[in-house]
Amino acid sequence: MASNTATTNYSRCRNCGFEAPGGDDEWLRLEVPKLGRMTQCPQCESTDVMTHR
């Protein structure tokens, strides 16, 4: 039987440990030529961000 429970993905900054739901408005967004859109930490401005459940 399938579960209908929604699972929220969280993103975490690997530099300072800041964590918030993935895609949340707390995260900053950058447009980088040749790389595209990147997520940036609002606390330390690092782009070393990983997403997990």
XYZ file of all heavy atoms in Angstrom:
411
model
N 0.841 -1.167 0.000
C 0.000 0.000 0.000
C 0.892 1.238 0.000
O 1.823 1.351 0.771
C -0.914 -0.017 1.222
C -1.859 1.170 1.251
S -2.907 1.155 2.723
C -4.016 -0.172 2.318
N 0.620 2.195 -0.875
C 1.419 3.412 -0.993
C 1.023 4.406 0.083
O -0.137 4.538 0.447
C 1.233 4.038 -2.364
N 2.016 5.127 0.543
C 1.781 6.154 1.544
C 1.621 7.505 0.852
O 2.326 7.814 -0.097
C 2.961 6.211 2.518
O 2.804 7.292 3.387
N 0.707 8.327 1.323
C 0.502 9.651 0.766
C 1.201 10.731 1.573
O 0.929 11.903 1.414
C -1.000 9.972 0.693
C -1.696 9.151 -0.356
O -1.063 8.680 -1.294
N -2.994 8.977 -0.202
N 2.103 10.336 2.448
C 2.820 11.281 3.284
C 3.821 12.055 2.437
O 4.637 11.467 1.750
C 3.583 10.550 4.417
O 2.652 9.774 5.149
C 4.274 11.539 5.323
N 3.742 13.365 2.480
C 4.672 14.208 1.735
C 6.001 14.254 2.471
O 6.052 14.403 3.681
C 4.113 15.610 1.580
N 7.072 14.109 1.725
C 8.403 14.191 2.300
C 9.037 15.483 1.834
O 9.110 15.753 0.645
C 9.272 13.004 1.844
O 8.629 11.798 2.235
C 10.646 13.075 2.458
N 9.490 16.305 2.773
C 10.118 17.572 2.443
C 11.611 17.358 2.283
O 12.255 16.778 3.152
C 9.872 18.611 3.555
O 8.469 18.778 3.713
C 10.495 19.941 3.203
N 12.145 17.816 1.161
C 13.587 17.792 0.964
C 14.172 19.038 1.606
O 13.620 20.123 1.483
C 13.924 17.768 -0.525
C 13.578 16.446 -1.156
O 13.656 15.399 -0.528
N 13.192 16.485 -2.399
N 15.270 18.873 2.283
C 15.951 19.995 2.917
C 17.283 20.214 2.229
O 17.918 19.265 1.778
C 16.186 19.729 4.409
C 14.933 19.938 5.214
C 13.995 18.929 5.351
C 14.668 21.165 5.807
C 12.828 19.121 6.056
C 13.503 21.378 6.523
C 12.591 20.347 6.640
O 11.432 20.560 7.337
N 17.689 21.457 2.151
C 18.995 21.808 1.623
C 19.836 22.317 2.784
O 19.335 22.989 3.681
C 18.877 22.879 0.544
O 18.170 22.365 -0.570
N 21.123 21.959 2.752
C 22.030 22.360 3.830
C 23.310 22.897 3.228
O 23.866 22.321 2.293
C 22.361 21.171 4.730
C 23.255 21.541 5.905
C 23.425 20.406 6.878
N 24.037 19.231 6.322
C 25.347 19.022 6.242
N 26.191 19.919 6.694
N 25.819 17.907 5.721
N 23.767 24.006 3.773
C 25.032 24.600 3.359
C 26.163 23.767 3.959
O 26.208 23.558 5.176
C 25.124 26.044 3.837
S 26.719 26.807 3.471
N 27.059 23.303 3.118
C 28.173 22.488 3.604
C 29.257 23.349 4.236
O 30.146 22.826 4.898
C 28.732 21.651 2.464
C 27.712 20.613 2.002
C 28.203 19.789 0.871
N 29.399 19.076 1.299
C 30.063 18.232 0.525
N 29.653 17.989 -0.691
N 31.137 17.642 0.967
N 29.172 24.653 4.078
C 30.168 25.556 4.660
C 29.814 25.930 6.097
O 30.639 25.792 6.996
C 30.301 26.813 3.792
C 31.408 27.723 4.256
O 32.546 27.306 4.392
N 31.084 28.978 4.502
N 28.570 26.398 6.330
C 28.212 26.883 7.678
C 27.128 26.050 8.362
O 26.845 26.253 9.532
C 27.776 28.345 7.611
S 26.141 28.608 6.871
N 26.469 25.131 7.630
C 25.463 24.278 8.240
C 24.045 24.818 8.200
O 23.124 24.176 8.705
N 23.826 25.997 7.614
C 22.471 26.545 7.495
C 21.591 25.538 6.780
O 22.001 24.904 5.815
C 22.507 27.863 6.712
C 21.138 28.430 6.440
C 20.462 29.142 7.407
C 20.532 28.227 5.206
C 19.195 29.665 7.152
C 19.268 28.744 4.944
C 18.599 29.456 5.919
N 20.355 25.354 7.263
C 19.436 24.385 6.673
C 18.042 24.980 6.548
O 17.579 25.679 7.449
C 19.396 23.120 7.536
C 18.647 21.981 6.902
C 18.801 20.696 7.676
O 18.166 20.575 8.737
O 19.561 19.828 7.222
N 17.394 24.716 5.424
C 16.026 25.164 5.168
C 15.445 24.245 4.098
O 16.187 23.557 3.391
C 16.006 26.617 4.704
N 14.114 24.196 3.980
C 13.515 23.371 2.934
C 14.077 23.735 1.565
O 14.315 24.912 1.268
C 12.024 23.710 3.015
C 11.819 24.141 4.437
C 13.090 24.874 4.796
N 14.330 22.711 0.745
C 14.826 22.941 -0.603
C 13.858 23.805 -1.395
O 12.650 23.610 -1.347
N 14.370 24.787 -2.107
C 13.537 25.681 -2.896
C 12.865 26.777 -2.102
O 12.145 27.594 -2.649
N 13.083 26.811 -0.796
C 12.461 27.813 0.069
C 12.969 29.207 -0.275
O 14.086 29.378 -0.787
C 12.789 27.491 1.535
C 11.924 28.252 2.508
O 10.788 27.799 2.747
O 12.390 29.279 3.022
N 12.160 30.219 0.010
C 12.533 31.605 -0.268
C 13.705 32.092 0.580
O 14.273 33.149 0.294
C 11.337 32.543 -0.061
C 10.284 32.389 -1.147
O 10.611 31.844 -2.231
O 9.139 32.797 -0.915
N 14.075 31.348 1.619
C 15.224 31.747 2.441
C 16.527 31.658 1.642
O 17.462 32.403 1.895
C 15.336 30.864 3.680
C 14.240 31.107 4.690
C 14.464 30.303 5.949
O 15.453 30.580 6.664
O 13.658 29.402 6.216
N 16.601 30.719 0.708
C 17.796 30.543 -0.105
C 17.899 31.648 -1.136
O 16.910 32.095 -1.691
C 17.784 29.186 -0.815
C 17.857 28.047 0.134
C 16.840 27.229 0.520
C 19.006 27.591 0.841
N 17.282 26.311 1.417
C 18.617 26.501 1.633
C 20.333 27.994 0.880
C 19.504 25.813 2.453
C 21.218 27.306 1.691
C 20.798 26.229 2.471
N 19.117 32.090 -1.402
C 19.362 33.072 -2.451
C 19.563 32.324 -3.764
O 19.990 31.173 -3.770
C 20.607 33.896 -2.116
C 20.594 34.629 -0.777
C 21.935 35.312 -0.532
C 19.458 35.636 -0.739
N 19.264 32.964 -4.880
C 19.435 32.350 -6.200
C 20.372 33.214 -7.031
O 20.264 34.437 -7.027
C 18.104 32.232 -6.941
C 17.034 31.457 -6.204
C 17.384 29.971 -6.121
N 16.293 29.163 -5.609
C 16.056 28.929 -4.343
N 16.810 29.478 -3.425
N 15.065 28.152 -3.962
N 21.294 32.571 -7.726
C 22.240 33.263 -8.592
C 22.113 32.725 -10.008
O 21.901 31.534 -10.202
C 23.685 33.003 -8.147
C 24.115 33.435 -6.773
C 25.520 32.923 -6.498
C 24.100 34.931 -6.672
N 22.258 33.580 -10.994
C 22.376 33.173 -12.383
C 23.845 33.312 -12.748
O 24.398 34.410 -12.730
C 21.507 34.037 -13.297
C 20.026 33.771 -13.171
C 19.597 32.398 -13.688
O 20.275 31.840 -14.574
O 18.585 31.888 -13.187
N 24.493 32.187 -13.038
C 25.914 32.193 -13.341
C 26.098 31.816 -14.812
O 25.646 30.739 -15.226
C 26.669 31.189 -12.432
C 28.149 31.197 -12.753
C 26.434 31.514 -10.970
N 26.751 32.688 -15.600
C 26.989 32.351 -16.999
C 27.693 31.000 -17.136
O 28.597 30.685 -16.364
C 27.891 33.490 -17.500
C 27.589 34.624 -16.574
C 27.311 33.985 -15.239
N 27.255 30.202 -18.056
C 27.790 28.870 -18.380
C 27.456 27.805 -17.333
O 27.666 26.632 -17.574
C 29.288 28.903 -18.635
C 29.670 29.752 -19.826
C 31.137 29.653 -20.117
C 31.473 30.545 -21.303
N 32.866 30.449 -21.671
N 26.972 28.178 -16.159
C 26.598 27.205 -15.139
C 25.095 27.182 -14.909
O 24.553 26.188 -14.464
C 27.302 27.483 -13.814
C 28.809 27.303 -13.786
C 29.364 27.701 -12.431
C 29.193 25.885 -14.138
N 24.437 28.299 -15.147
C 22.996 28.388 -14.933
C 22.655 28.887 -13.545
O 23.419 29.600 -12.912
N 21.505 28.452 -13.060
C 20.989 28.909 -11.769
C 21.620 28.116 -10.628
O 21.673 26.889 -10.664
C 19.477 28.725 -11.764
C 18.792 29.329 -10.598
C 17.306 29.254 -10.800
N 16.628 29.589 -9.579
C 15.340 29.628 -9.432
N 14.565 29.341 -10.443
N 14.799 29.948 -8.299
N 22.086 28.829 -9.610
C 22.710 28.194 -8.453
C 22.038 28.682 -7.179
O 21.544 29.805 -7.106
C 24.207 28.515 -8.395
C 24.985 27.977 -9.563
S 26.742 28.359 -9.449
C 27.230 27.236 -8.141
N 22.060 27.825 -6.161
C 21.534 28.176 -4.844
C 22.679 28.706 -4.003
O 23.773 28.149 -3.999
C 20.917 26.934 -4.179
O 19.865 26.459 -5.010
C 20.368 27.247 -2.800
N 22.409 29.782 -3.261
C 23.432 30.400 -2.422
C 22.912 30.522 -0.991
O 21.757 30.867 -0.764
C 23.788 31.776 -2.972
C 24.919 32.451 -2.236
C 25.269 33.797 -2.843
O 24.422 34.492 -3.380
N 26.531 34.172 -2.748
N 23.771 30.235 -0.032
C 23.424 30.333 1.383
C 23.229 31.792 1.781
O 24.087 32.633 1.479
C 24.536 29.710 2.225
S 24.256 29.851 4.004
N 22.135 32.122 2.470
C 21.900 33.501 2.888
C 22.787 33.940 4.054
O 22.925 35.128 4.305
C 20.428 33.502 3.296
C 20.166 32.107 3.736
C 21.013 31.246 2.844
N 23.396 32.989 4.757
C 24.222 33.351 5.911
C 25.681 33.585 5.542
O 26.277 34.566 5.954
C 24.126 32.274 6.991
C 22.783 32.254 7.656
C 22.728 31.303 8.847
O 23.640 30.530 9.093
N 21.645 31.369 9.581
N 26.264 32.666 4.753
C 27.700 32.789 4.458
C 27.973 33.015 2.971
O 29.127 33.178 2.588
C 28.451 31.560 4.949
S 28.132 30.073 3.977
N 26.930 33.005 2.141
C 26.997 33.230 0.703
C 27.718 32.132 -0.073
O 28.063 32.302 -1.232
C 27.585 34.611 0.388
C 26.734 35.728 0.967
C 27.246 37.109 0.618
O 28.349 37.234 0.051
O 26.519 38.077 0.904
N 27.941 30.988 0.545
C 28.541 29.850 -0.143
C 27.534 29.245 -1.120
O 26.326 29.296 -0.905
C 28.944 28.785 0.887
O 29.358 27.605 0.233
N 28.033 28.651 -2.197
C 27.180 27.921 -3.128
C 27.371 26.410 -2.976
O 26.879 25.639 -3.779
C 27.446 28.339 -4.587
O 28.827 28.143 -4.878
C 27.060 29.791 -4.812
N 28.078 25.997 -1.940
C 28.292 24.573 -1.663
C 27.115 24.065 -0.838
O 27.179 23.972 0.387
C 29.619 24.381 -0.910
C 30.033 22.923 -0.827
O 29.316 22.048 -1.355
O 31.088 22.662 -0.216
N 26.012 23.769 -1.540
C 24.744 23.395 -0.903
C 24.347 22.005 -1.365
O 24.444 21.677 -2.546
C 23.634 24.419 -1.283
C 22.288 24.005 -0.730
C 24.018 25.811 -0.781
N 23.903 21.160 -0.436
C 23.421 19.828 -0.798
C 21.988 19.650 -0.321
O 21.573 20.269 0.665
C 24.314 18.740 -0.231
C 24.333 18.618 1.252
S 25.425 17.279 1.729
C 24.677 16.813 3.260
N 21.228 18.816 -1.033
C 19.836 18.569 -0.691
C 19.686 17.136 -0.182
O 20.302 16.223 -0.722
C 18.940 18.784 -1.934
O 19.117 20.129 -2.363
C 17.478 18.556 -1.611
N 18.900 16.963 0.873
C 18.676 15.637 1.465
C 17.259 15.574 2.011
O 16.562 16.567 2.103
C 19.699 15.354 2.567
C 19.668 16.353 3.679
N 18.894 16.195 4.794
C 20.302 17.551 3.839
C 19.052 17.231 5.600
N 19.907 18.069 5.042
N 16.819 14.400 2.378
C 15.490 14.215 2.987
C 15.606 14.237 4.473
O 16.507 13.824 5.064
C 14.886 12.884 2.567
C 14.451 12.904 1.164
C 13.754 11.604 0.875
N 13.598 11.495 -0.552
C 12.506 11.073 -1.128
N 11.482 10.716 -0.430
N 12.426 11.001 -2.414
